[in-house]
Amino acid sequence: MSLQTLGYIGLRTKNLEDWTAYASRFLGMQLVDKSRGTASFRMDDRKQRLVVNETGDEAPGFFGFEVADAAALDAFAASLERHKVPFARGSRALADERKVRDLIVFSDPAGNRLEVFHGAEVTTDPFKPGRAISGFRTGPLGMGHAVLHCEKIGDVVPFYVDILGFKLSDYFLKPFAAYFFHLNPRHHSVAFIESGKTGIHHLMVETCYLDDVGQAYDLAQCNPESIATTFGRHYNDQVHSFYSWSPSKFMFEYGWGGRSIDPDNWTVEEITQGPSLWGHERYWTTPEQREVARQLRISNAEAGYRIPLNVMDGNYKVARDVCPWWDAQAPARKTG
C-alpha cells in the first residue's frame, strides 16, 4: 500500500497564458494539451505531469501520489478508513482526466487536496521539451518535490508520517523551520515550512544536466525581479538550483544534482549548517533571516564543508588529475 512517488501536480490560476509560456519556454516542459481553461504538460514518458486550470484564484489544485497497483490502492483506501480519514473514489471521468487507471481523493489537515492513484498512462511519443534542455530526472524518483506552507508543523507531521507513510529525512530550525519527508531515494518528495499560513511555498523539478539550470538562470536574469532565490547549493539534498517566481506568485525551484538516499537505512538529523552550503540568497525572507542564513553559509565555508557532486551516467567526464596535493588525498576520498 506504500506511496511510491509524487506523480503529478495540479494548479489553479488566473493566468493560463502566462503559465503556458512559463512551463514550456522557461521550465522546458512539453505542452501537450490546451483548451480554453486547461493546459497540461509532459516531463517524460508520462502523458502528463503538470495540469494548470484557469479559475478565479491562484491556489494549489491537487497533488497526485502513486502506488504500485490496484491492490495497493485498495489497501491504502482501507488504511484511510481505519484512521477515519474521509475519502472518495475517483469517477471514471476523473481518472480519464488525470490519465490514470484509478484513484482516490482526500484532504490533509491543511486542506490540500491529495489524490492517490495507480496505472499512469504513458506514451511512446518522444518527449519534446518546450526549450532545448537535456530532460528531467523523474522515473522512480517521481516528478520532483513540493514544499508547502503550514500553520504548525505538529498539525501535519503525524498525518503524513503515521497515516500516509512518509519518512522524515531531516529538518532545520534556522533561519526558519522546515521538515523534509521522503518516499523513495529522492531526498524529499514533500516538505513543510512552518509559516503560519497554508499553500505552496515552492515546487521543484530536476534536470539531467547542470547546464540546463545555468541556461535557465540566464533567461531569468533577463527579468531580474523574477528571481526569488539566487543560484546556490542546498546542504541536505545537495541540489544546485535557483528559484523563480511562478505566474501564481509561489516559487519554482529549478535544480540539478540531487543526492540519492537509502530509505531503508536512513538516520534523521537536525541540519545545523542551514539550508544551503553556499549561495541561495533568499530575497523573499526578512532582512534578519537573510543575515542568519548568510552567517550560516560563511560558517560552512570557514569549516571547509565540501560535498562531492551527484552525477548520472552520461552527464559527466572524469577530469585528469593535475594537482599533487589532490592526488595525495585519494585514499581519504575513497574512505570518506
Side-chain angles (χ1 to χ4, degrees), residues 54-323:
E54 190 166 51
T55 61
D57 59 352
E58 303 284 351
F62 47 84
F63 301 92
F65 294 97
E66 188 168 9
V67 294
D69 50 31
L73 185 64
D74 289 342
F76 197 90
S79 177
L80 291 179
E81 196 166 47
R82 287 195 301 272
H83 286 95
K84 297 181 170 51
V85 177
F87 69 92
R89 284 278 178 177
S91 65
R92 182 67 260 155
L94 181 61
D96 290 343
E97 186 177 319
R98 298 290 191 263
K99 302 192 184 305
V100 301
R101 192 164 299 164
D102 197 9
L103 74 162
I104 59 175
V105 180
F106 57 100
S107 296
D108 72 6
N112 297 301
R113 177 182 169 117
L114 307 183
E115 301 179 355
V116 175
F117 71 92
H118 82 93
E121 295 181 18
V122 298
T123 177
T124 58
D125 295 337
F127 170 63
K128 297 178 180 178
R131 68 175 179 88
I133 64 169
S134 61
F136 294 101
R137 189 180 180 212
T138 56
L141 301 179
M143 68 173 287
H145 70 234
V147 177
L148 307 176
H149 290 287
C150 67
E151 294 183 359
K152 293 182 179 180
I153 291 287
D155 292 342
V156 296
V157 169
F159 182 83
Y160 276 80
V161 172
D162 299 335
I163 298 178
L164 301 189
F166 282 80
K167 303 293 179 62
L168 180 63
S169 300
D170 48 44
Y171 64 98
F172 58 77
L173 302 176
K174 293 180 180 180
F176 47 85
Y179 287 68
F180 303 83
F181 302 89
H182 62 266
L183 293 171
N184 54 58
R186 191 183 288 281
H187 176 271
H188 59 281
S189 294
V190 166
F192 284 93
I193 290 179
E194 189 175 66
S195 60
K197 57 185 178 181
T198 58
I200 298 175
H201 179 271
H202 74 264
L203 304 178
M204 185 280 268
V205 293
E206 185 177 354
T207 63
C208 298
Y209 268 79
L210 177 59
D211 291 338
D212 297 321
V213 179
Q215 289 163 358
Y217 199 52
D218 281 345
L219 289 173
Q221 290 184 93
C222 294
N223 179 19
E225 292 183 356
S226 70
I227 299 174
T229 301
T230 61
F231 186 70
R233 191 182 191 193
H234 286 303
Y235 186 86
N236 60 354
D237 72 357
Q238 302 175 7
V239 165
H240 301 68
S241 65
F242 74 97
Y243 297 61
S244 64
W245 290 111
S246 76
S248 295
K249 306 307 178 188
F250 65 76
M251 291 178 288
F252 220 111
E253 182 182 8
Y254 205 67
W256 172 85
R259 73 192 299 183
S260 296
I261 68 170
D262 181 354
D264 297 325
N265 297 284
W266 183 254
T267 301
V268 177
E269 63 175 323
E270 178 184 351
I271 302 299
T272 58
Q273 294 84 355
S276 299
L277 181 63
W278 53 264
H280 281 159
E281 188 76 2
R282 294 167 173 81
Y283 296 136
W284 50 273
T285 57
T286 66
E288 293 77 16
Q289 288 175 323
R290 286 174 66 183
E291 181 58 27
V292 169
R294 191 177 299 118
Q295 290 304 316
L296 287 168
R297 298 196 302 271
I298 290 172
S299 296
N300 291 338
E302 291 173 343
Y305 286 127
R306 304 288 185 272
I307 301 174
L309 300 182
N310 301 296
V311 297
M312 307 186 312
D313 286 342
N315 74 355
Y316 72 98
K317 293 181 179 179
V318 177
R320 182 177 177 180
D321 294 350
V322 295
C323 176

Side-chain angles (χ1 to χ4, degrees), residues 20-42:
T20 300
Y22 180 81
S24 60
R25 296 201 293 270
F26 180 68
L27 298 178
M29 297 181 183
Q30 178 185 350
L31 176 65
V32 289
D33 188 36
K34 187 172 184 295
S35 65
R36 179 176 298 180
T38 301
S40 60
F41 303 87
R42 280 179 62 188

